[in-house]
Amino acid sequence: LVCNAEATLTQAEKSFFNRVSSKLSKPNIFILNNRWDASAAEPEEMEQVREQHMTQFRRFLVQDLQVCTGEEAKDRIFFVSAREVLNSRAKKIQQSPSTMLAEGHLLRAQDFHNFEQQFETCISKSAIRTKFEGHIRRGREIMLSLQKIVESVHADALREKETRSLLHRSKLSELRQSQSSFLQFETKSRENADRLRAEVHVKVSADFHDEIRRLQSIIDSFDEKFVDDPACIAEYKNRLTDYVDDQVTKELEIRCTGGLLERIMAAQRDMLGGVAGLLPEDYAAKVATVLQYRPGFRFCIAVNCHTLVDDFVEDLEFRFSFGLTALVRRYVAYRSGRPVTTLSGQSARNLMLGSSSSMIPNRTTPTASPSRQSSVVKPSSSTSDMQSLLAATAADDAMLNSIVLTTASYVANGGVGLLLVTGLVYRTVGWRVIAIGAAGYMGLYAFERLRWNTHAKEQHLKEQFRSHLACRMRQLASAHTNQCETQVVREMEEILKSLKATVAGVHNNMKTDVSKLQSDMEQLDRITKELVVTKNKATFLSTNLDSFETDFLKPDSP
């Protein structure tokens, strides 16, 4: 504001600068009181007038416009003479003639010089402030926003790291607990399988022996027509064997299925439930798929009666029950441990000649206990078991004829001894007792001989068949029981193997989850460290901005 020092500040000037102040934020206003050289004519009143102007202009800048403080106002008000400064500078460049200067011109020239310096400094600072103050303000806003974001992300990363750490410890504990529990479950499952095997042994063994006792009723229910002809008899035996095999197999399957199948299924469900309880809820549903596509367990019963009666030789000739031949046959069958229907009568000579055990080969000695039978009969199929039995007793075929001949030889060679024994008995009990005994013996013979017809032959054949089959089944009882035990144990082992594979897959998934959590924790740890570095960089940049503002943008900065 260049005003006339000889007059006061007008209202128009005040209104103009009020509008300027309202449009600009803190405008840089300088007031030059020009033509101050006129005050030299009245030197006694110059200072008083100067003070009046200073008071008026200071109030205008500080109170009305509010563009500076009272201390700053003295550097914004100057008393100059533009004509004197112009003449002085024109003289220096020799463009005008020298003129007389009024008193106090040096003070007015110095004041003008101060105005130039203050104006230059103010304009320079304003230019710098105008150019960089917005950048500083925007940079500080960016730094503050960045610091808030970094602090928020850093806090979230720490919370997430703590959450992942807790979850990692929980998952790792679950994995170790599941592995340990499954090892205990596996041991317990094998113990349960052993107990189940013992139950199967008792049940199947009892059912098998019950079925042996039922052979009589099964064979009696066979009502095919019997014809006393060798070809017809062979066909009759085949049909009888088929019928008995079918009935026995069905009955054993029903007994085993009804008595043990539910127990086996319950054991399987217990295994699945036990494993499901060892796994986390997210993986427990996988256990149910173990039995989803697995066929139901059933016993494979194979009695194979055809193999058991392969060495059956029916004897439909009339033989008196108390006759010498029948007694010898039964004796040989007892000594050999074989059914009497397997003896054809040519290989018993050693058995009769050598009453001591040294005359009997060890391989033909009958099994006297179940344990010895089990050592001969292996738990395999009925065909292989019967082949072993037939091989072990092959040397005893055709004993009967040899034994009969040997016995007849003894009787012929010992006739004198027989007469002596007869005489001794006669003297002891008398002829009446001997006669009654002989009559009774002959009566029994006549009774059996008269009853020997086609029906009797059929009943005799069935009885021989039953006795032969029962003997062979008793010999194979342990093998049959072991076979059923093997089936059950194999089934439980396969279930356990499937469960083990499923649990191994679950444990691998759990290990993968644990590894992923560990990787996430390591990544979060790297992120938190990088965020700390970024936060320190933001703090450093904020400090630099403050230093720049202090050095270049403050009013008192150089």
Side-chain angles (χ1 to χ4, degrees), residues 428-448:
T428 303
V429 299
W431 63 270
R432 291 185 178 180
V433 176
I434 295 175
I436 293 172
Y441 184 83
M442 294 303 294
L444 290 175
Y445 177 83
F447 176 76
E448 290 187 4

Side-chain angles (χ1 to χ4, degrees), residues 152-338:
S152 176
V153 174
H154 185 264
D156 292 342
L158 289 178
R159 286 194 297 270
E160 185 65 21
K161 181 181 177 181
E162 182 65 22
T163 302
R164 295 298 176 93
S165 178
L166 294 175
L167 186 60
H168 175 268
R169 289 196 294 269
S170 176
K171 292 286 186 181
L172 185 60
S173 176
E174 284 183 358
L175 174 60
R176 292 174 177 173
Q177 180 65 29
S178 179
Q179 289 175 336
S180 175
S181 299
F182 185 76
L183 291 177
Q184 298 176 2
F185 170 80
E186 189 174 1
T187 302
K188 185 178 179 181
S189 296
R190 297 189 186 281
E191 294 175 354
N192 293 335
D194 290 338
R195 287 194 292 269
L196 182 59
R197 179 175 183 173
E199 294 179 16
V200 171
H201 177 86
V202 174
K203 183 68 169 63
V204 172
S205 179
D207 291 342
F208 197 77
H209 284 86
D210 287 344
E211 203 62 27
I212 293 175
R213 288 190 290 269
R214 290 186 66 255
L215 283 177
Q216 182 67 48
S217 61
I218 294 175
I219 294 174
D220 289 342
S221 64
F222 182 72
D223 57 355
E224 292 283 339
K225 184 178 180 181
F226 178 80
V227 179
D228 189 6
D229 181 77
C232 295
I233 291 175
E235 182 65 22
Y236 183 87
K237 288 195 300 181
N238 287 332
R239 291 197 298 270
L240 177 60
T241 303
D242 292 338
Y243 177 77
V244 173
D245 184 73
D246 182 66
Q247 293 295 319
V248 170
T249 302
K250 287 182 179 179
E251 185 65 25
L252 286 177
E253 287 182 351
I254 292 174
R255 285 172 174 265
C256 293
T257 301
L260 294 173
L261 187 59
E262 182 60 32
R263 175 68 178 87
I264 295 172
M265 294 176 64
Q268 293 177 350
R269 290 193 296 268
D270 290 342
M271 291 178 67
L272 264 64
V275 173
L278 300 178
L279 301 178
E281 295 181 0
D282 299 340
Y283 302 101
K286 291 186 177 181
V287 178
T289 61
V290 173
L291 294 179
Q292 187 173 1
Y293 301 105
R294 184 177 180 84
F297 174 78
R298 62 183 300 271
F299 284 98
C300 296
I301 306 297
V303 180
N304 200 353
C305 292
H306 285 280
T307 304
L308 297 179
V309 300
D310 186 61
D311 59 340
F312 171 68
V313 180
E314 72 279 2
D315 183 13
L316 299 183
E317 295 181 4
F318 175 73
R319 299 184 188 278
F320 182 46
S321 300
F322 297 99
L324 181 61
T325 302
L327 294 175
V328 171
R329 284 167 60 86
R330 286 197 291 270
Y331 174 73
V332 172
Y334 171 76
R335 290 294 303 272
S336 64
R338 298 165 54 190

Side-chain angles (χ1 to χ4, degrees), residues 5 36 39 42-56 79:
W36 186 244
S39 62
E42 300 176 356
E44 64 280 0
E45 297 179 358
M46 183 177 59
E47 288 299 326
Q48 184 179 359
V49 173
R50 182 186 178 94
E51 285 296 327
Q52 290 177 354
H53 282 302
M54 284 292 295
T55 302
Q56 182 184 8
F79 294 86

Side-chain angles (χ1 to χ4, degrees), residues 19-84:
R19 290 196 302 270
V20 170
S21 178
S22 64
K23 298 294 182 181
L24 301 178
S25 177
K26 290 187 178 181
N28 296 311
I29 299 177
F30 291 81
I31 299 177
L32 273 69
N33 290 284
N34 195 21
R35 300 181 66 182
W36 186 244
D37 55 338
S39 62
E42 300 176 356
E44 64 280 0
E45 297 179 358
M46 183 177 59
E47 288 299 326
Q48 184 179 359
V49 173
R50 182 186 178 94
E51 285 296 327
Q52 290 177 354
H53 282 302
M54 284 292 295
T55 302
Q56 182 184 8
F57 289 133
R58 185 182 292 112
R59 183 185 304 111
F60 177 67
L61 291 176
V62 174
Q63 297 179 5
D64 296 344
L65 299 181
Q66 298 180 356
V67 296
C68 61
T69 62
E71 185 67 23
E72 293 173 346
K74 66 179 182 179
D75 295 329
R76 301 291 183 92
I77 303 171
F78 303 95
F79 294 86
V80 298
S81 174
R83 187 186 62 178
E84 289 180 349

Side-chain angles (χ1 to χ4, degrees), residues 409-427:
S409 176
Y410 285 152
V411 172
N413 294 329
V416 176
L418 181 60
L419 291 174
L420 291 176
V421 172
T422 302
L424 182 61
V425 172
Y426 172 74
R427 291 177 59 87

